[in-house]
Coordinates of all heavy atoms in Angstrom, one line a residue:
M457 N 73.6 50.9 -64.3 CA 74.8 50.0 -64.0 C 74.2 48.8 -63.3 O 73.5 48.9 -62.3 CB 75.8 50.8 -63.2 CG 77.1 50.1 -63.0 SD 78.4 51.1 -62.2 CE 79.2 51.8 -63.6
T458 N 74.7 47.6 -63.7 CA 74.2 46.4 -63.1 C 75.1 46.0 -61.9 O 76.1 46.6 -61.7 CB 74.3 45.2 -64.1 OG1 75.7 45.0 -64.4 CG2 73.5 45.5 -65.4
T459 N 74.7 45.0 -61.2 CA 75.4 44.6 -60.0 C 76.8 44.0 -60.5 O 77.8 44.3 -59.8 CB 74.6 43.5 -59.3 OG1 73.4 44.0 -58.8 CG2 75.4 42.9 -58.1
I460 N 76.8 43.3 -61.6 CA 78.1 42.8 -62.1 C 79.0 43.9 -62.5 O 80.2 43.9 -62.2 CB 77.8 41.9 -63.4 CG1 77.1 40.6 -62.9 CG2 79.1 41.5 -64.0 CD1 77.8 39.7 -62.0
D461 N 78.5 45.0 -63.0 CA 79.3 46.2 -63.4 C 79.9 46.8 -62.1 O 81.1 47.1 -62.1 CB 78.5 47.3 -64.0 CG 78.0 46.9 -65.4 OD1 78.7 46.1 -66.1 OD2 77.0 47.4 -65.9
L462 N 79.1 46.9 -61.0 CA 79.6 47.4 -59.8 C 80.7 46.5 -59.2 O 81.7 47.0 -58.7 CB 78.5 47.6 -58.8 CG 77.5 48.7 -59.1 CD1 76.3 48.6 -58.1 CD2 78.1 50.0 -59.1
I463 N 80.5 45.2 -59.2 CA 81.5 44.3 -58.7 C 82.8 44.4 -59.6 O 83.9 44.3 -59.0 CB 81.0 42.8 -58.7 CG1 79.8 42.7 -57.7 CG2 82.1 41.8 -58.4 CD1 79.0 41.4 -57.8
E464 N 82.6 44.5 -60.9 CA 83.8 44.6 -61.8 C 84.6 45.9 -61.4 O 85.8 45.9 -61.4 CB 83.3 44.7 -63.2 CG 84.4 44.6 -64.2 CD 83.9 44.5 -65.6 OE1 82.7 44.9 -65.9 OE2 84.6 43.9 -66.5
V465 N 83.9 47.0 -61.2 CA 84.6 48.3 -60.9 C 85.3 48.1 -59.5 O 86.4 48.6 -59.4 CB 83.5 49.4 -60.8 CG1 84.1 50.7 -60.2 CG2 83.1 49.7 -62.2
L466 N 84.7 47.4 -58.6 CA 85.3 47.2 -57.3 C 86.6 46.4 -57.5 O 87.7 46.8 -56.9 CB 84.4 46.4 -56.3 CG 85.0 45.9 -55.1 CD1 85.5 47.0 -54.2 CD2 84.1 44.9 -54.3
G467 N 86.6 45.3 -58.3 CA 87.8 44.6 -58.6 C 88.9 45.4 -59.2 O 90.1 45.4 -58.8
A468 N 88.5 46.3 -60.1 CA 89.5 47.2 -60.8 C 90.0 48.2 -59.8 O 91.3 48.5 -59.7 CB 88.9 47.9 -61.9
L469 N 89.2 48.7 -58.9 CA 89.6 49.7 -57.9 C 90.6 49.1 -56.9 O 91.5 49.8 -56.5 CB 88.4 50.3 -57.2 CG 87.6 51.3 -58.0 CD1 86.3 51.7 -57.2 CD2 88.4 52.5 -58.3
L470 N 90.4 47.8 -56.5 CA 91.4 47.2 -55.6 C 92.7 47.1 -56.2 O 93.7 47.5 -55.6 CB 90.9 45.8 -55.3 CG 89.6 45.7 -54.4 CD1 89.1 44.2 -54.3 CD2 89.9 46.2 -53.0
I471 N 92.8 46.7 -57.5 CA 94.1 46.6 -58.2 C 94.7 48.0 -58.3 O 95.9 48.2 -58.1 CB 94.0 45.9 -59.5 CG1 93.6 44.5 -59.3 CG2 95.3 46.1 -60.4 CD1 93.2 43.8 -60.6
L472 N 93.9 49.0 -58.8 CA 94.4 50.3 -59.0 C 94.8 51.0 -57.7 O 95.8 51.8 -57.7 CB 93.3 51.2 -59.7 CG 93.1 50.7 -61.1 CD1 91.8 51.5 -61.7 CD2 94.3 51.0 -62.0
A473 N 94.1 50.7 -56.6 CA 94.6 51.3 -55.3 C 95.9 50.8 -54.9 O 96.8 51.6 -54.5 CB 93.5 51.0 -54.2
A474 N 96.1 49.5 -55.1 CA 97.5 48.9 -54.8 C 98.5 49.5 -55.7 O 99.6 49.9 -55.2 CB 97.4 47.4 -54.9
F475 N 98.2 49.6 -56.9 CA 99.2 50.2 -57.9 C 99.5 51.6 -57.5 O 100.7 52.0 -57.5 CB 98.6 50.1 -59.3 CG 99.5 50.8 -60.3 CD1 100.7 50.2 -60.7 CD2 99.1 52.0 -60.9 CE1 101.5 50.9 -61.7 CE2 99.8 52.6 -61.8 CZ 101.1 52.1 -62.2
A476 N 98.5 52.4 -57.3 CA 98.8 53.9 -57.0 C 99.6 54.0 -55.7 O 100.5 54.8 -55.6 CB 97.4 54.6 -56.9
A477 N 99.2 53.2 -54.7 CA 99.9 53.2 -53.4 C 101.4 52.9 -53.6 O 102.3 53.5 -52.9 CB 99.2 52.3 -52.4
T478 N 101.7 51.9 -54.4 CA 103.1 51.6 -54.6 C 103.9 52.7 -55.4 O 105.0 53.0 -55.1 CB 103.3 50.2 -55.3 OG1 102.7 50.3 -56.6 CG2 102.8 49.1 -54.5
Q479 N 103.2 53.2 -56.4 CA 103.8 54.3 -57.2 C 104.1 55.6 -56.3 O 105.0 56.3 -56.5 CB 103.0 54.7 -58.4 CG 102.9 53.5 -59.4 CD 104.2 53.1 -59.9 OE1 105.0 53.9 -60.4 NE2 104.5 51.8 -59.7
L480 N 103.2 55.8 -55.3 CA 103.4 56.9 -54.4 C 104.2 56.6 -53.2 O 104.3 57.4 -52.3 CB 102.0 57.5 -54.0 CG 101.1 58.0 -55.1 CD1 99.7 58.3 -54.7 CD2 101.7 59.2 -55.8
R481 N 104.8 55.4 -53.2 CA 105.6 54.9 -52.1 C 104.9 54.9 -50.8 O 105.5 55.1 -49.7 CB 106.9 55.7 -52.0 CG 107.7 55.7 -53.3 CD 109.0 56.5 -53.2 NE 109.6 56.7 -54.5 CZ 110.5 55.9 -55.1 NH1 111.0 54.9 -54.4 NH2 111.0 56.2 -56.2
R482 N 103.6 54.5 -50.8 CA 102.8 54.4 -49.6 C 102.7 52.9 -49.2 O 102.1 52.6 -48.2 CB 101.5 55.0 -49.8 CG 101.5 56.5 -50.2 CD 101.4 57.3 -49.0 NE 101.2 58.7 -49.3 CZ 102.0 59.7 -48.9 NH1 103.0 59.4 -48.2 NH2 101.8 60.9 -49.3
M483 N 103.1 52.0 -50.1 CA 102.9 50.6 -49.9 C 104.0 49.8 -50.6 O 104.4 50.2 -51.7 CB 101.5 50.1 -50.5 CG 101.1 48.8 -50.1 SD 99.5 48.2 -50.8 CE 98.4 49.5 -50.2
D484 N 104.5 48.8 -49.9 CA 105.6 48.0 -50.4 C 104.9 46.9 -51.3 O 104.0 46.3 -50.9 CB 106.3 47.3 -49.2 CG 107.4 46.3 -49.7 OD1 107.5 46.0 -50.9 OD2 108.1 45.9 -48.8
P485 N 105.4 46.8 -52.6 CA 104.8 45.8 -53.5 C 105.0 44.4 -53.1 O 104.4 43.5 -53.7 CB 105.5 46.1 -54.8 CG 106.8 46.8 -54.5 CD 106.5 47.5 -53.2
H486 N 105.7 44.1 -52.0 CA 105.9 42.8 -51.5 C 105.1 42.6 -50.2 O 105.2 41.5 -49.6 CB 107.4 42.4 -51.3 CG 108.2 42.6 -52.5 ND1 108.1 41.7 -53.6 CD2 109.0 43.5 -52.9 CE1 108.9 42.1 -54.6 NE2 109.5 43.2 -54.2
S487 N 104.4 43.6 -49.8 CA 103.6 43.5 -48.5 C 102.4 42.6 -48.7 O 101.8 42.5 -49.8 CB 103.2 44.9 -48.0 OG 102.2 45.4 -48.9
V488 N 102.0 42.1 -47.6 CA 100.7 41.2 -47.6 C 99.6 42.1 -48.0 O 98.7 41.6 -48.8 CB 100.5 40.6 -46.2 CG1 99.1 40.0 -46.0 CG2 101.6 39.6 -45.8
R489 N 99.5 43.3 -47.6 CA 98.3 44.2 -47.9 C 98.3 44.4 -49.4 O 97.2 44.3 -50.0 CB 98.5 45.5 -47.2 CG 97.3 46.4 -47.3 CD 97.4 47.6 -46.4 NE 98.5 48.5 -46.9 CZ 98.8 49.7 -46.4 NH1 98.1 50.1 -45.4 NH2 99.7 50.4 -46.9
Y490 N 99.4 44.7 -50.1 CA 99.4 44.8 -51.5 C 99.0 43.6 -52.2 O 98.2 43.6 -53.2 CB 100.9 45.2 -51.9 CG 101.1 45.3 -53.4 CD1 100.7 46.4 -54.1 CD2 101.6 44.2 -54.1 CE1 100.9 46.5 -55.5 CE2 101.7 44.3 -55.5 CZ 101.4 45.4 -56.2 OH 101.6 45.5 -57.5
L491 N 99.5 42.4 -51.8 CA 99.2 41.2 -52.4 C 97.8 40.7 -52.2 O 97.2 40.2 -53.1 CB 100.2 40.1 -51.9 CG 101.7 40.3 -52.3 CD1 102.6 39.4 -51.5 CD2 101.9 40.2 -53.8
V492 N 97.2 41.1 -51.1 CA 95.8 40.8 -50.9 C 94.9 41.6 -51.8 O 94.0 41.1 -52.4 CB 95.4 41.0 -49.4 CG1 93.9 41.1 -49.2 CG2 96.0 39.9 -48.5
L493 N 95.2 42.9 -51.9 CA 94.5 43.7 -52.8 C 94.5 43.2 -54.3 O 93.5 43.2 -55.0 CB 95.0 45.2 -52.8 CG 94.7 46.0 -51.5 CD1 95.4 47.3 -51.5 CD2 93.2 46.2 -51.3
N494 N 95.7 42.8 -54.7 CA 95.9 42.3 -56.1 C 95.2 41.0 -56.3 O 94.5 40.8 -57.3 CB 97.4 42.2 -56.4 CG 97.9 43.4 -57.0 OD1 97.6 43.7 -58.2 ND2 98.7 44.2 -56.3
T495 N 95.3 40.1 -55.3 CA 94.7 38.8 -55.4 C 93.1 38.9 -55.5 O 92.5 38.3 -56.3 CB 95.1 37.9 -54.2 OG1 96.5 37.7 -54.2 CG2 94.4 36.5 -54.3
L496 N 92.6 39.7 -54.6 CA 91.1 39.9 -54.6 C 90.6 40.6 -55.8 O 89.7 40.2 -56.5 CB 90.7 40.7 -53.4 CG 90.8 40.0 -52.0 CD1 90.4 40.9 -50.9 CD2 89.9 38.8 -52.0
G497 N 91.3 41.7 -56.2 CA 90.9 42.5 -57.4 C 91.0 41.6 -58.7 O 90.0 41.6 -59.5
A498 N 92.1 41.0 -58.9 CA 92.3 40.2 -60.1 C 91.4 39.0 -60.1 O 90.9 38.6 -61.1 CB 93.8 39.8 -60.2
G499 N 91.2 38.4 -58.9 CA 90.3 37.2 -58.8 C 88.8 37.6 -59.2 O 88.2 36.9 -59.9
I500 N 88.4 38.7 -58.7 CA 87.0 39.2 -59.1 C 86.9 39.4 -60.6 O 86.0 38.9 -61.2 CB 86.7 40.5 -58.4 CG1 86.5 40.3 -56.9 CG2 85.5 41.3 -59.0 CD1 86.4 41.6 -56.0
L501 N 87.9 40.1 -61.2 CA 87.9 40.3 -62.6 C 88.1 39.0 -63.4 O 87.5 38.9 -64.5 CB 89.0 41.3 -63.0 CG 88.8 42.7 -62.4 CD1 90.0 43.6 -62.7 CD2 87.5 43.3 -62.9
A502 N 88.8 38.0 -62.9 CA 89.0 36.8 -63.6 C 87.7 36.0 -63.6 O 87.3 35.4 -64.7 CB 90.1 35.9 -62.9
V503 N 87.0 36.0 -62.5 CA 85.7 35.3 -62.5 C 84.7 36.0 -63.5 O 84.0 35.3 -64.3 CB 85.1 35.3 -61.1 CG1 83.6 34.8 -61.1 CG2 85.9 34.4 -60.2
I504 N 84.6 37.3 -63.5 CA 83.8 37.9 -64.4 C 84.2 37.7 -65.9 O 83.3 37.4 -66.7 CB 83.7 39.5 -64.1 CG1 83.0 39.7 -62.8 CG2 83.0 40.2 -65.3 CD1 83.1 41.1 -62.3
A505 N 85.5 37.7 -66.1 CA 85.9 37.4 -67.5 C 85.6 35.9 -67.9 O 85.2 35.7 -69.1 CB 87.5 37.5 -67.6
A506 N 85.6 35.0 -67.0 CA 85.3 33.6 -67.3 C 83.8 33.5 -67.6 O 83.4 32.9 -68.6 CB 85.6 32.7 -66.1
V507 N 82.9 34.2 -66.8 CA 81.5 34.1 -67.0 C 81.1 34.8 -68.3 O 80.3 34.3 -69.1 CB 80.8 34.9 -65.8 CG1 79.3 35.1 -66.2 CG2 80.9 34.1 -64.5
E508 N 81.8 35.9 -68.7 CA 81.6 36.6 -69.9 C 82.3 36.0 -71.1 O 82.1 36.5 -72.2 CB 82.0 38.1 -69.8 CG 81.2 38.8 -68.7 CD 79.8 39.0 -69.1 OE1 79.5 39.2 -70.3 OE2 78.9 39.0 -68.2
R509 N 83.1 34.9 -70.9 CA 83.9 34.3 -71.9 C 84.8 35.3 -72.7 O 84.9 35.2 -73.9 CB 83.0 33.5 -72.9 CG 82.2 32.4 -72.2 CD 81.3 31.7 -73.1 NE 80.6 30.6 -72.4 CZ 80.0 29.6 -73.0 NH1 80.0 29.5 -74.3 NH2 79.4 28.7 -72.2
S510 N 85.4 36.1 -71.9 CA 86.3 37.1 -72.5 C 87.7 36.5 -72.2 O 88.4 36.7 -71.2 CB 86.2 38.4 -71.7 OG 87.1 39.4 -72.2
W511 N 88.2 35.7 -73.2 CA 89.4 34.8 -73.0 C 90.7 35.6 -72.8 O 91.5 35.2 -72.0 CB 89.5 33.9 -74.2 CG 88.2 33.1 -74.4 CD1 87.5 33.0 -75.5 CD2 87.5 32.3 -73.4 NE1 86.3 32.2 -75.3 CE2 86.3 31.8 -74.0 CE3 87.7 32.0 -72.1 CZ2 85.4 31.0 -73.3 CZ3 86.8 31.2 -71.4 CH2 85.7 30.7 -72.0
G512 N 90.9 36.7 -73.5 CA 92.1 37.5 -73.3 C 92.1 38.1 -72.0 O 93.2 38.1 -71.3
F513 N 91.0 38.6 -71.5 CA 90.9 39.2 -70.2 C 91.0 38.2 -69.1 O 91.7 38.4 -68.1 CB 89.5 40.0 -70.1 CG 89.4 40.9 -68.9 CD1 90.4 41.8 -68.7 CD2 88.3 40.9 -68.1 CE1 90.3 42.7 -67.6 CE2 88.2 41.8 -67.1 CZ 89.2 42.7 -66.8
L514 N 90.5 37.0 -69.4 CA 90.6 35.9 -68.4 C 92.1 35.5 -68.3 O 92.6 35.2 -67.2 CB 89.8 34.7 -68.8 CG 89.9 33.5 -67.9 CD1 89.5 33.8 -66.5 CD2 89.0 32.3 -68.5
L515 N 92.8 35.4 -69.4 CA 94.2 35.1 -69.4 C 95.0 36.1 -68.6 O 95.8 35.7 -67.7 CB 94.8 35.0 -70.8 CG 96.3 34.8 -70.9 CD1 96.7 33.4 -70.3 CD2 96.7 34.9 -72.4
L516 N 94.7 37.4 -68.8 CA 95.4 38.4 -68.0 C 95.1 38.4 -66.6 O 96.0 38.3 -65.7 CB 95.0 39.8 -68.6 CG 95.5 41.0 -67.8 CD1 97.0 41.1 -67.9 CD2 94.9 42.3 -68.3
E517 N 93.8 38.4 -66.2 CA 93.4 38.4 -64.8 C 93.6 37.1 -64.1 O 93.9 37.1 -62.9 CB 92.0 38.9 -64.7 CG 91.8 40.3 -65.2 CD 92.6 41.3 -64.5 OE1 93.0 41.1 -63.3 OE2 92.9 42.4 -65.1
G518 N 93.5 36.0 -64.8 CA 93.8 34.7 -64.2 C 95.2 34.6 -63.8 O 95.6 34.1 -62.7
T519 N 96.1 35.0 -64.7 CA 97.5 34.9 -64.5 C 97.9 35.9 -63.3 O 98.6 35.5 -62.4 CB 98.3 35.3 -65.7 OG1 98.0 34.4 -66.8 CG2 99.8 35.3 -65.5
W520 N 97.3 37.1 -63.3 CA 97.5 38.1 -62.3 C 97.1 37.5 -60.9 O 97.8 37.6 -59.9 CB 96.7 39.3 -62.6 CG 97.1 40.5 -61.8 CD1 97.3 40.7 -60.5 CD2 97.4 41.8 -62.4 NE1 97.6 42.0 -60.2 CE2 97.7 42.7 -61.3 CE3 97.3 42.3 -63.7 CZ2 97.9 44.1 -61.5 CZ3 97.6 43.7 -63.9 CH2 97.9 44.5 -62.8
T521 N 96.0 36.8 -60.9 CA 95.5 36.2 -59.7 C 96.4 35.1 -59.2 O 96.8 35.1 -58.0 CB 94.1 35.6 -59.9 OG1 93.2 36.6 -60.3 CG2 93.5 35.0 -58.6
V522 N 96.8 34.2 -60.1 CA 97.7 33.1 -59.7 C 99.0 33.6 -59.1 O 99.5 33.2 -58.1 CB 97.9 32.1 -60.8 CG1 99.0 31.1 -60.5 CG2 96.6 31.4 -61.1
V523 N 99.7 34.5 -59.9 CA 101.0 35.1 -59.4 C 100.8 35.8 -58.1 O 101.7 35.6 -57.2 CB 101.5 36.0 -60.5 CG1 102.8 36.7 -60.0 CG2 101.9 35.2 -61.8
S524 N 99.8 36.6 -57.9 CA 99.5 37.3 -56.7 C 99.3 36.3 -55.5 O 99.8 36.5 -54.4 CB 98.4 38.2 -56.8 OG 98.7 39.2 -57.7
L525 N 98.5 35.2 -55.8 CA 98.2 34.2 -54.8 C 99.5 33.5 -54.4 O 99.7 33.2 -53.2 CB 97.2 33.3 -55.3 CG 96.6 32.3 -54.2 CD1 96.0 33.0 -53.0 CD2 95.5 31.4 -54.9
V526 N 100.3 33.1 -55.3 CA 101.6 32.4 -55.0 C 102.5 33.3 -54.1 O 103.0 32.9 -53.1 CB 102.3 31.9 -56.3 CG1 103.7 31.5 -56.0 CG2 101.5 30.8 -56.9
S527 N 102.6 34.6 -54.5 CA 103.4 35.6 -53.8 C 102.8 35.8 -52.4 O 103.6 35.9 -51.4 CB 103.5 36.9 -54.6 OG 104.1 36.7 -55.8
L528 N 101.5 35.9 -52.3 CA 100.9 36.0 -51.0 C 101.2 34.8 -50.1 O 101.5 35.0 -48.9 CB 99.4 36.2 -51.1 CG 98.5 36.4 -49.9 CD1 99.0 37.6 -49.1 CD2 97.1 36.5 -50.2
T529 N 101.0 33.6 -50.6 CA 101.3 32.4 -49.9 C 102.8 32.4 -49.4 O 103.0 32.1 -48.2 CB 101.1 31.2 -50.8 OG1 99.7 31.2 -51.2 CG2 101.4 29.9 -50.0
L530 N 103.7 32.8 -50.2 CA 105.1 32.9 -49.8 C 105.3 33.9 -48.7 O 106.1 33.7 -47.8 CB 106.0 33.2 -51.0 CG 106.1 32.0 -52.0 CD1 106.9 32.5 -53.3 CD2 106.7 30.8 -51.4
A531 N 104.6 35.1 -48.9 CA 104.8 36.2 -47.9 C 104.2 35.8 -46.5 O 104.7 36.2 -45.5 CB 104.1 37.4 -48.4
L532 N 103.2 34.9 -46.5 CA 102.6 34.5 -45.3 C 103.3 33.3 -44.6 O 103.0 33.0 -43.5 CB 101.1 34.1 -45.5 CG 100.2 35.3 -45.8 CD1 98.8 34.9 -46.2 CD2 100.2 36.3 -44.7
R533 N 104.1 32.6 -45.4 CA 104.8 31.4 -44.9 C 105.8 31.9 -43.8 O 106.5 32.8 -43.9 CB 105.6 30.8 -46.0 CG 106.3 29.5 -45.6 CD 107.0 28.9 -46.7 NE 106.0 28.4 -47.7 CZ 106.3 27.8 -48.8 NH1 107.5 27.8 -49.2 NH2 105.3 27.4 -49.6
P534 N 105.8 31.1 -42.6 CA 106.7 31.5 -41.6 C 108.1 31.4 -42.1 O 108.5 30.5 -42.8 CB 106.4 30.4 -40.5 CG 105.2 29.7 -40.9 CD 105.0 30.0 -42.3
R535 N 108.9 32.3 -41.7 CA 110.4 32.3 -42.1 C 111.1 31.3 -41.2 O 110.9 31.2 -40.0 CB 111.0 33.7 -41.8 CG 110.2 34.8 -42.6 CD 111.2 35.7 -43.3 NE 110.5 36.8 -43.9 CZ 110.2 36.9 -45.2 NH1 110.5 35.8 -46.0 NH2 109.7 37.9 -45.7
R536 N 112.0 30.6 -41.9 CA 112.8 29.7 -41.1 C 113.9 30.4 -40.4 O 114.5 31.3 -40.9 CB 113.5 28.7 -42.1 CG 112.6 27.7 -42.6 CD 113.4 26.7 -43.4 NE 112.6 25.4 -43.5 CZ 113.0 24.4 -44.3 NH1 114.1 24.5 -45.0 NH2 112.3 23.3 -44.3
Q537 N 114.1 30.0 -39.1 CA 115.2 30.5 -38.3 C 116.5 29.8 -38.6 O 116.5 28.6 -38.8 CB 114.8 30.4 -36.8 CG 113.6 31.2 -36.4 CD 113.8 32.7 -36.5 OE1 114.9 33.2 -36.3 NE2 112.7 33.3 -36.9
P538 N 117.6 30.5 -38.8 CA 118.8 29.8 -39.0 C 119.2 29.0 -37.8 O 118.8 29.3 -36.6 CB 119.9 31.0 -39.2 CG 119.2 32.2 -38.7 CD 117.7 32.0 -38.7
P539 N 119.9 27.9 -38.0 CA 120.2 27.0 -36.8 C 121.1 27.8 -35.8 O 121.9 28.6 -36.2 CB 121.0 25.9 -37.4 CG 121.0 26.1 -38.9 CD 120.4 27.4 -39.2
A540 N 120.8 27.6 -34.6 CA 121.6 28.2 -33.5 C 123.0 27.7 -33.5 O 123.2 26.5 -33.6 CB 120.9 28.0 -32.1
T541 N 123.9 28.6 -33.3 CA 125.3 28.2 -33.2 C 125.8 28.4 -31.8 O 125.3 29.3 -31.1 CB 126.2 29.0 -34.2 OG1 126.1 30.4 -34.0 CG2 125.8 28.6 -35.6
H542 N 126.7 27.6 -31.4 CA 127.2 27.7 -30.0 C 128.5 28.4 -29.9 O 129.3 28.4 -30.7 CB 127.3 26.3 -29.3 CG 125.9 25.7 -29.1 ND1 125.3 25.0 -30.1 CD2 125.0 25.8 -28.1 CE1 124.1 24.6 -29.7 NE2 123.9 25.0 -28.5

């Protein structure tokens, strides 16, 4: 097994861990932890897909990365407080 293979397995395990945790109700699919796992895992797989010129896999993992990253950004954004009423 090459180093790239090990990195690829790591990326897949990050995504699968998040998926399994949500299915077992151990993690909220909107939580920062879930979104970080998905962003990192899909990002790793997207980079490998790009290097390997695996276009279908790149489309899947690239989209997964972008959607997860946007969701993570929104989850980390400070919530606006409603205006105080007197």
Side-chain angles (χ1 to χ4, degrees):
M457 189 175 269
T458 68
T459 302
I460 295 296
D461 291 334
L462 291 173
I463 294 169
E464 187 173 28
V465 168
L466 172 65
L469 286 173
L470 291 172
I471 293 171
L472 291 170
F475 173 72
T478 59
Q479 294 303 304
L480 297 171
R481 301 180 194 267
R482 302 267 189 238
M483 190 181 300
D484 180 347
H486 302 288
S487 69
V488 169
R489 189 171 68 173
Y490 174 85
L491 295 168
V492 166
L493 289 172
N494 270 288
T495 301
L496 290 175
I500 288 168
L501 295 176
V503 168
I504 291 171
V507 169
E508 297 292 326
R509 297 180 181 196
S510 180
W511 307 123
F513 194 47
L514 177 58
L515 175 62
L516 173 67
E517 295 304 331
T519 301
W520 196 311
T521 302
V522 170
V523 170
S524 295
L525 188 57
V526 168
S527 298
L528 179 60
T529 301
L530 293 173
L532 291 173
R533 183 179 291 174
R535 303 227 187 260
R536 286 186 156 173
Q537 296 294 327
T541 57
H542 294 86

